[in-house]
Amino acid sequence: VTARGCQITTPEPWLNDFFRAHLRHMIVNCFQELDSDRLHAHVGTFSYGVYPDESVMMINNLDRRGYHDEARRCYDAFLHYQGTVQMPGNFKIKEGVFYGAGGHDQGGYNKSHAWVMWGMAQHWFYTRDRAWMEKAAPKLVAACDWVTRERAATMTLNKDGSRPIEYGFLPTGSLEDVTDYWTWQVTNACTDWGFQALAAALADFGHPEADRLKKESLAFHEDL
């Protein structure tokens, strides 16, 4: 399993070995769902759940090493459970949000949706797997639309007609281990990053909604 993927060769044998060993840890922590081909990427073993923003770093690593099928199976889990669990925050809807993981979900990190968006975009650019994208595209469009709908809640002007600083941001919500509800800059920055990446991937694929999504992602970016 290790030999069929990317290898590195440096003057430091311990570094080469660590790179190989890291892959094994990732594969061990990709738990296969019962009666399914789907994988759930746990960054930690045993009791550690799926924190999607962390999981995507791991899944993207699999893609970079050439383990595209394993990466696809991990992303398929997020696609399958999209909209099943609401993130903690003042969000109005869960339809389209990437957070649920079939009971493996944990943490409530509001960056999770953004990272899954970005990761799926990268998976497309690594693989150009049109069969996968044809199945995934409706849910990827829904993920973008979730951002557009949710940020509408903060698009209200002050009494004097000026814009509040959080105009056009996502509603307040949990960060990570800090669970206070605030308008977190990092949550919105990552969402901007993921939204633009996914709009670009859909455009590269040739999706008919791509132009609209690119305009909406740029509008979000301009507000930030």
Side-chain angles (χ1 to χ4, degrees):
V1 171
T2 307
R4 69 179 171 86
C6 172
Q7 307 292 324
I8 63 170
T9 303
T10 75
E12 297 290 347
W14 69 268
L15 190 58
N16 304 334
D17 290 342
F18 181 82
F19 186 80
R20 286 190 289 270
H22 182 225
L23 171 71
R24 296 166 198 166
H25 282 280
M26 290 195 295
I27 289 177
V28 164
N29 283 359
C30 286
F31 297 177
Q32 183 167 348
E33 187 172 285
L34 296 176
D35 301 319
S36 167
D37 184 54
R38 294 185 289 271
L39 296 174
H40 294 280
H42 293 243
V43 177
T45 315
F46 303 122
S47 62
Y48 199 94
V50 170
Y51 295 73
D53 60 324
E54 298 175 357
S55 297
V56 169
M57 300 179 200
M58 174 176 157
I59 302 166
N60 188 254
N61 195 327
L62 290 170
D63 253 339
R64 290 200 308 271
R65 291 170 180 256
Y67 294 83
H68 301 308
D69 188 59
E70 288 80 359
R72 174 195 59 78
R73 293 166 66 193
C74 289
Y75 286 130
D76 282 350
F78 289 124
L79 289 167
H80 182 77
Y81 290 106
Q82 182 185 29
T84 58
V85 180
Q86 181 70 287
M87 291 188 299
N90 290 316
F91 305 110
K92 294 186 176 180
I93 55 171
K94 62 183 180 180
E95 180 186 354
V97 73
F98 285 128
Y99 174 64
H104 297 251
D105 35 86
Q106 198 170 348
Y109 295 1
N110 282 185
K111 290 186 297 182
S112 293
H113 181 73
W115 273 86
V116 177
M117 292 174 78
W118 178 83
M120 300 243 191
Q122 299 310 301
H123 183 68
W124 162 255
F125 285 120
Y126 282 129
T127 66
R128 294 304 204 289
D129 184 345
R130 296 196 66 84
W132 174 81
M133 181 57 102
E134 285 170 4
K135 292 179 180 178
K139 296 195 171 190
L140 302 184
V141 171
C144 295
D145 288 340
W146 180 86
V147 177
T148 300
R149 285 196 303 267
E150 288 293 345
R151 81 186 195 91
T154 64
M155 300 173 78
T156 49
L157 300 176
N158 295 320
K159 290 181 179 179
D160 63 1
S162 63
R163 284 190 175 196
I165 194 170
E166 72 275 13
Y167 183 93
F169 284 48
L170 290 175
T172 56
S174 176
L175 179 61
E176 291 191 356
D177 298 330
V178 179
T179 57
D180 295 348
Y181 282 16
W182 290 100
T183 307
W184 296 103
Q185 178 68 19
V186 66
T187 297
N188 286 276
C190 287
T191 305
D192 174 27
W193 181 45
F195 195 168
Q196 291 205 53
L198 201 49
L202 288 163
D204 188 67
F205 170 69
H207 195 278
E209 295 279 4
D211 286 344
R212 174 180 70 83
L213 296 175
K214 286 179 78 173
K215 289 176 183 176
E216 291 174 357
S217 72
L218 288 172
F220 181 36
H221 179 79
E222 287 303 312
D223 284 338
L224 298 188

